[in-house]
Amino acid sequence: QVQLQESGPGLVKPSETLSLTCTVSGGSISSYYWSWIRQPPGKGLEWIGYIYYSGSTNYNPSLKSRVTISVDTSKNQFSLKLSSVTAADTAVYYCAREEYTWKAVAGTPSPYFDYWGQGTLVTVSS
Amino acid sequence: SYELTQPPSVSVSPGQTARITCSGDALPKQYAYWYQQKPGQAPVLVIYKDSERPSGIPERFSGSSSGTTVTLTISGVQAEDEADYYCQSADSSGTYRVFGTGTKVTVL
């Protein structure tokens, strides 16, 4: 059974960089896409971006200028950095594994999230 | 940016049927997925590929698709089904992942 665990500081000061790591156990990080998703208190889910085990990335356009996702296959980990944070970045941050199906009519991949971490609350405050 | 629209809330009595819709322009080209989220917990996949049910998910959960709208149906609602439900899909090219606005299901 694949398990994901987020780790990192729970409090970050405004204008600083938020850094989180997701450790994958019970399976290899190879051959999958891995995403970060966040949820502000009392609000909905927002996809932040993904990384493939090879290192290729894709980010939500609304966050792209501030986000960096990296992978360390030797440690079975991937990481998130979000720069210049404000109070609006206060949220529970989840890491998740992506799977894919294919809708024949479109011929494009259809991604979804099959395994999630428990989430970690990051508060941006001075 | 691409959006998926859900009703904010649905209320249903125990044993009745709850239906939650999700609308998006790319849904004819992309599958939809549904997640259940209870307070303080991570989301759990309850429907994939519009209408398939993962192992371990009760049969009362079902999904359907018609044009630009997908629907999650919970038949014979139980108290334990009270939760937030989110649809999820991607833009037509499969590049960006998108979550719906979320629907709170209240069991009366």
Side-chain angles (χ1 to χ4, degrees):
Chain A
Q1 179 81 343
V2 174
Q3 293 185 316
L4 293 84
Q5 179 67 58
E6 304 89 352
S7 59
L11 181 64
V12 181
K13 289 182 168 55
S15 80
E16 296 189 343
T17 297
L18 178 159
S19 296
L20 295 174
T21 295
C22 182
T23 301
V24 180
S25 59
S28 173
I29 205 168
S30 298
S31 302
Y32 284 98
Y33 289 78
W34 303 89
S35 270
W36 286 98
I37 297 154
R38 71 179 183 178
Q39 184 173 37
K43 296 188 177 181
L45 299 164
E46 179 181 35
W47 173 71
I48 298 170
Y50 73 62
I51 189 164
Y52 192 45
Y53 78 100
S54 63
S56 62
T57 56
N58 186 26
Y59 303 134
N60 187 325
S62 68
L63 297 168
K64 186 175 182 177
S65 63
R66 299 193 292 131
V67 173
T68 302
I69 299 177
S70 58
V71 65
D72 186 337
T73 55
S74 68
K75 295 182 179 179
N76 239 30
Q77 295 177 334
F78 62 106
S79 299
L80 168 70
K81 290 188 184 300
L82 181 65
S83 64
S84 306
V85 297
T86 70
D89 295 309
T90 293
V92 174
Y93 285 77
Y94 295 100
C95 57
R97 190 183 82 168
E98 288 196 9
E99 255 300 3
Y100 282 86
T101 57
W102 291 81
K103 197 165 187 177
V105 66
T108 55
S110 184
Y112 66 101
F113 308 101
D114 59 349
Y115 290 98
W116 295 65
Q118 65 184 24
T120 186
L121 174 63
V122 179
T123 301
V124 178
S125 175
S126 55
Chain B
S1 62
Y2 182 51
E3 295 180 349
L4 295 172
T5 302
Q6 300 178 231
S9 62
V10 168
S11 297
V12 60
S13 299
Q16 299 302 303
T17 297
R19 294 182 179 85
I20 306 167
T21 58
C22 171
S23 299
D25 290 341
L27 288 175
K29 292 187 176 182
Q30 284 284 338
Y31 282 124
Y33 305 87
W34 290 95
Y35 302 86
Q36 177 193 67
Q37 187 181 33
K38 296 183 178 180
Q41 298 183 18
V44 172
L45 183 70
V46 294
I47 293 290
Y48 67 102
K49 288 177 64 175
D50 291 346
S51 60
E52 303 288 328
R53 199 173 47 252
S55 61
I57 301 301
E59 292 184 6
R60 63 181 181 272
F61 288 89
S62 63
S64 61
S65 175
S66 179
T68 58
T69 299
V70 294
T71 302
L72 173 69
T73 300
I74 312 173
S75 305
V77 167
Q78 299 183 8
E80 66 199 53
D81 300 330
E82 186 163 284
D84 293 326
Y85 291 83
Y86 294 90
C87 61
Q88 176 257 313
S89 189
D91 66 322
S92 57
S93 67
T95 302
Y96 302 112
R97 293 87 174 102
V98 180
F99 288 95
T101 48
T103 299
K104 181 174 182 58
V105 170
T106 300
V107 181
L108 300 172

